[in-house]
Amino acid sequence: MGDLSLLVETVNFAAIKHKAQRRKDPEKTPYINHPIGVARILTEEGKVNDLSVLQAAILHDTVEDTDTTIEEIKEKFGDKVAGIVAEVTDDKHLPKSERKRLQIENAPKKSKEAKLVKLADKLYNLRDLNRATPSGWNPKRVSEYFKWASLVVEGLRGTNHQLEEELDKLFESKE
Ligand SMILES: Nc1nc2c(ncn2[C@@H]2O[C@H](COP(=O)(O)OP(=O)(O)O)[C@@H](OP(=O)(O)OP(=O)(O)O)[C@H]2O)c(=O)[nH]1
Ligand SMILES: [Mn+2]
């Protein structure tokens, strides 16, 4: 299959998987806006054109947040994409505090491809926090998310100058 068809196939797969899910903002934005936006940050701001990375960005929350398995992604999109998605998937069986701690600890050990997806994911989510507060979040929770995200990003540095610079602007604005 050609690159464009593959990318469309990937977006379609993720849209079906996330179809019942909404973001936590007061408008309840369709969840799929997030993975599409993460991929767009990579193309437009990160100047990334590696198809597997863009596919992994589109798919990055399917295993963590829907019934999708890594096996299913492997069968449909191959080992490389499945490998990157696996690297950016938190183990939801672990307690939240442990998952958050592991993101900080494991960030530096990730592949360049997984680091790119994680940088774009954090950039999207932090911008989204500045745009609208998720339902039920107080200012303390927002500021703790910023602090935690900055620690994860520390372990992802040296991967994409543009994305890191955009993240730094957000962190500086919070100081
Ligand atoms: N800023 C923001 N985030 C929202 C919104 N709706 C859903 N999310 C998701 O919530 C997650 C952050 O919230 P937390 O309370 O820290 O995590 P949790 O969902 O695992 O409990 C992110 O998951 P993630 O993408 O897996 O990233 P990560 O935070 O685990 O790195 C983000 O995509 C929204 O309206 N605004
Ligand atoms: Mn995400």
Coordinates of all heavy atoms in Angstrom, one line a residue, residues 18 21 23 31 34-35 56-66 85 88-89 121 125:
H18 N -11.5 5.2 18.7 CA -11.8 6.2 19.7 C -13.2 6.8 19.6 O -13.5 7.8 20.2 CB -10.8 7.4 19.5 CG -9.4 7.1 20.0 ND1 -9.1 6.8 21.3 CD2 -8.2 7.1 19.3 CE1 -7.7 6.7 21.4 NE2 -7.2 6.8 20.2
Q21 N -15.1 7.9 22.6 CA -14.4 8.6 23.6 C -14.3 10.1 23.4 O -14.3 10.6 22.3 CB -12.9 8.1 23.6 CG -12.2 8.1 24.9 CD -10.7 7.6 24.6 OE1 -10.4 7.0 23.6 NE2 -9.8 8.0 25.5
R23 N -12.7 14.0 24.9 CA -11.7 14.7 25.8 C -12.4 15.2 27.0 O -13.6 15.1 27.1 CB -11.1 15.9 25.0 CG -10.3 15.5 23.7 CD -9.0 14.8 24.0 NE -8.0 15.7 24.5 CZ -6.8 15.4 24.9 NH1 -6.4 14.1 25.0 NH2 -5.9 16.3 25.3
Y31 N -12.3 12.6 21.1 CA -10.9 12.3 21.5 C -10.0 12.2 20.3 O -8.8 12.6 20.4 CB -10.9 10.9 22.2 CG -9.6 10.8 23.0 CD1 -9.4 11.3 24.2 CD2 -8.5 10.2 22.4 CE1 -8.2 11.2 24.9 CE2 -7.3 10.1 23.0 CZ -7.2 10.6 24.3 OH -6.0 10.5 25.0
H34 N -7.2 14.7 19.4 CA -5.9 14.7 20.1 C -4.9 13.9 19.3 O -3.8 14.5 18.9 CB -6.1 14.2 21.5 CG -4.8 13.8 22.2 ND1 -3.8 14.7 22.4 CD2 -4.3 12.6 22.7 CE1 -2.7 14.1 23.0 NE2 -3.1 12.8 23.2
P35 N -5.1 12.6 18.9 CA -4.0 12.0 18.1 C -3.8 12.6 16.8 O -2.6 12.7 16.3 CB -4.5 10.5 18.0 CG -5.8 10.4 18.7 CD -6.1 11.7 19.4
A56 N 2.4 6.0 14.3 CA 2.4 5.8 15.8 C 1.8 6.9 16.5 O 1.1 6.7 17.5 CB 3.8 5.5 16.2
A57 N 1.9 8.2 16.1 CA 1.3 9.3 16.7 C -0.2 9.2 16.6 O -0.9 9.4 17.6 CB 1.8 10.6 16.1
I58 N -0.7 8.8 15.5 CA -2.2 8.7 15.3 C -2.7 7.6 16.2 O -3.8 7.7 16.7 CB -2.5 8.3 13.8 CG1 -2.1 9.4 12.8 CG2 -3.9 7.9 13.6 CD1 -3.0 10.7 12.9
L59 N -1.9 6.5 16.4 CA -2.3 5.3 17.1 C -2.0 5.4 18.6 O -2.3 4.5 19.4 CB -1.7 4.1 16.5 CG -2.1 3.8 15.1 CD1 -1.2 2.7 14.5 CD2 -3.6 3.3 15.0
H60 N -1.3 6.5 19.1 CA -0.5 6.4 20.3 C -1.4 6.1 21.6 O -0.9 5.6 22.5 CB 0.4 7.6 20.5 CG -0.3 8.8 21.1 ND1 -1.0 9.8 20.3 CD2 -0.5 9.2 22.4 CE1 -1.5 10.7 21.1 NE2 -1.2 10.4 22.3
D61 N -2.7 6.5 21.5 CA -3.5 6.2 22.7 C -4.5 5.1 22.5 O -5.3 4.8 23.4 CB -4.3 7.5 23.1 CG -3.4 8.5 24.0 OD1 -2.5 8.0 24.7 OD2 -3.6 9.7 23.9
T62 N -4.4 4.4 21.4 CA -5.4 3.3 21.1 C -5.3 2.2 22.1 O -6.3 1.6 22.6 CB -5.4 2.8 19.7 OG1 -4.1 2.3 19.4 CG2 -5.8 3.8 18.7
V63 N -4.0 1.8 22.4 CA -3.8 0.6 23.2 C -4.1 1.0 24.7 O -4.7 0.2 25.5 CB -2.4 0.0 23.0 CG1 -2.2 -1.2 24.0 CG2 -2.3 -0.5 21.6
E64 N -3.6 2.2 25.1 CA -3.8 2.6 26.5 C -5.3 2.9 26.8 O -5.7 2.6 27.9 CB -3.0 3.9 26.7 CG -2.7 4.3 28.1 CD -1.8 5.5 28.2 OE1 -0.6 5.3 27.8 OE2 -2.2 6.5 28.7
D65 N -6.0 3.4 25.9 CA -7.4 3.9 26.2 C -8.5 3.2 25.5 O -9.7 3.6 25.8 CB -7.4 5.4 25.8 CG -6.5 6.3 26.7 OD1 -6.2 5.8 27.8 OD2 -6.2 7.4 26.2
T66 N -8.3 2.2 24.6 CA -9.4 1.5 24.0 C -9.1 0.0 24.1 O -8.1 -0.4 24.7 CB -9.6 1.9 22.5 OG1 -8.6 1.3 21.7 CG2 -9.5 3.4 22.3
V85 N 4.3 2.3 19.3 CA 3.1 2.4 20.1 C 3.3 1.7 21.4 O 2.9 2.3 22.5 CB 1.8 1.9 19.3 CG1 0.6 1.9 20.3 CG2 1.6 2.7 18.1
V88 N 5.2 3.9 23.9 CA 4.5 5.1 24.4 C 3.2 4.7 25.2 O 2.4 5.6 25.6 CB 4.2 6.2 23.3 CG1 5.5 6.6 22.7 CG2 3.2 5.7 22.3
T89 N 3.0 3.4 25.4 CA 1.8 3.0 26.1 C 2.1 2.7 27.6 O 2.9 1.9 27.9 CB 1.2 1.7 25.5 OG1 0.9 2.0 24.1 CG2 0.0 1.2 26.2
D121 N 3.0 14.7 22.1 CA 1.9 14.4 23.0 C 1.9 15.4 24.1 O 0.8 16.0 24.5 CB 2.0 12.9 23.5 CG 0.9 12.4 24.3 OD1 -0.3 12.9 24.1 OD2 1.1 11.5 25.1
N125 N -0.9 18.3 24.9 CA -1.7 18.3 26.2 C -1.5 19.5 27.0 O -2.4 20.0 27.6 CB -1.4 17.0 27.0 CG -2.0 15.8 26.4 OD1 -3.1 15.9 25.8 ND2 -1.4 14.6 26.6

